[in-house]
Amino acid sequence: MWENLVLREPHTLIGPLILEEAPIGSFGLRDYLVTSGPTLRESLAQAVDLIAVSLFLTRARSATGRDIVPSRVTVTHRAPRRARQPARLLGTDRIHFGAPYGSISFTEDDVRVPLPRAQPGVDRILVQHAELVLAASQPVLGRLDRFRAVLTAAFRDGAVGLEEVARRLAVIPRTLQRRLAEHDTTWREQTERARHELTVDLLQGTDLPHPAVAGRVGYSDVRVLRRAVRRWSGKTPAELRRAAPG
């Protein structure tokens, strides 16, 4: 009914209105995943990870017409306090938490079962369409680019720290360090890079006094800022500010 209403009247607020009248629990365990964590950030990180895997599993069951049980599931966040909830949602207790990425594995019998509603040739058309859509879309941030975006935001919030940045990425610090090593870099190298870029932005894009710039990028005083800027650019902060384009 909801789908028909939305299709018939796509510009109405029928979706939000139905949700407004639906108490927590109306959408099953997914509701509780969003509302039961210690903070909204942690709840959302957990829910998005599990719901993505759950959605794929639901579609796999629908496609095969079988009650498929995953042979293994991995999710990136740590195990929730109520460990039985994800098991009920996914139909298995073979769930590995704190993994580098989310995944879902099936048995050989399940992945090779013929689909009862298969339409020969349609899959190739859909793949071609998907390739065209992807080619026209904006590139998705890679793992390192996403880390850098989060690190820059942490600098601007005055909350730079390995544990804090890892928390914003919904991973543990050890996992974050391992991912950086996979890109042949380190936490120290990346924080220095981000500090350099932010320092240049603040000096050339704002009128903040040098002590304020030093504080924004995590330096104890102007002398430390001056040494860092000279190391990066061979200039003083004042000279770098005067060299701003335009």
Side-chain angles (χ1 to χ4, degrees):
M1 180 179 70
W2 189 345
E3 182 178 0
N4 285 333
L5 285 170
V6 173
L7 290 175
R8 287 176 180 274
E9 298 292 339
H11 302 296
T12 68
L13 295 176
I14 186 66
L17 288 173
I18 291 175
L19 286 173
E20 197 172 72
E21 297 299 322
I24 295 297
S26 299
F27 297 96
L29 183 57
R30 294 165 181 80
D31 274 356
Y32 295 113
L33 284 173
V34 175
T35 59
S36 62
T39 66
L40 181 59
R41 183 192 299 273
E42 291 175 81
S43 292
L44 289 175
Q46 173 174 286
V48 168
D49 202 2
L50 280 174
I51 289 173
V53 173
S54 172
L55 178 62
F56 188 85
L57 176 59
T58 300
R59 291 296 178 260
R61 287 171 173 167
S62 175
T64 60
R66 299 171 61 165
D67 188 19
I68 294 176
V69 176
S71 58
R72 186 170 184 265
V73 175
T74 66
V75 290
T76 57
H77 63 80
R78 58 180 178 271
R81 294 177 182 176
R82 300 177 181 178
R84 294 180 60 84
Q85 288 186 343
R88 288 200 302 272
L89 178 67
L90 300 175
T92 181
D93 57 3
R94 293 187 288 270
I95 304 173
H96 176 61
F97 294 94
Y101 51 83
S103 71
I104 184 167
S105 303
F106 301 105
T107 65
E108 188 75 10
D109 287 343
D110 284 332
V111 297
R112 291 190 178 278
V113 64
L115 301 186
R117 290 178 288 180
Q119 301 178 49
V122 173
D123 57 334
R124 291 193 297 274
I125 295 173
L126 292 176
V127 167
Q128 291 171 0
H129 176 68
E131 289 173 346
L132 290 173
V133 171
L134 288 173
S137 66
Q138 294 294 324
V140 177
L141 285 179
R143 184 173 284 173
L144 183 59
D145 290 329
R146 181 167 177 254
F147 160 77
R148 286 171 174 167
V150 171
L151 178 61
T152 299
F155 261 110
R156 295 188 186 279
D157 295 342
V160 178
L162 177 61
E163 291 187 358
E164 170 61 19
V165 173
R167 187 180 69 81
R168 293 186 182 203
L169 289 166
V171 298
I172 60 176
R174 186 171 64 254
T175 298
L176 175 55
Q177 289 175 314
R178 184 173 67 249
R179 290 179 178 178
L180 291 174
E182 290 171 358
H183 287 85
D184 296 321
T185 187
T186 64
W187 167 258
R188 182 175 180 178
E189 289 174 356
Q190 290 301 310
T191 52
E192 185 73 358
R193 177 181 183 275
R195 184 176 281 114
H196 178 190
E197 292 176 351
L198 181 56
T199 298
V200 173
D201 287 346
L202 292 174
L203 286 173
Q204 297 190 339
T206 75
D207 295 325
L208 285 174
H210 294 170
V213 172
R216 288 280 189 93
V217 299
Y219 288 136
S220 55
D221 55 43
V222 175
R223 289 174 299 178
V224 180
L225 172 68
R226 188 179 300 114
R227 287 197 297 269
V229 171
R230 188 172 291 279
R231 183 173 69 252
W232 295 329
S233 65
K235 298 181 173 65
T236 67
E239 290 170 340
L240 187 61
R241 172 164 274 169
R242 288 195 295 271

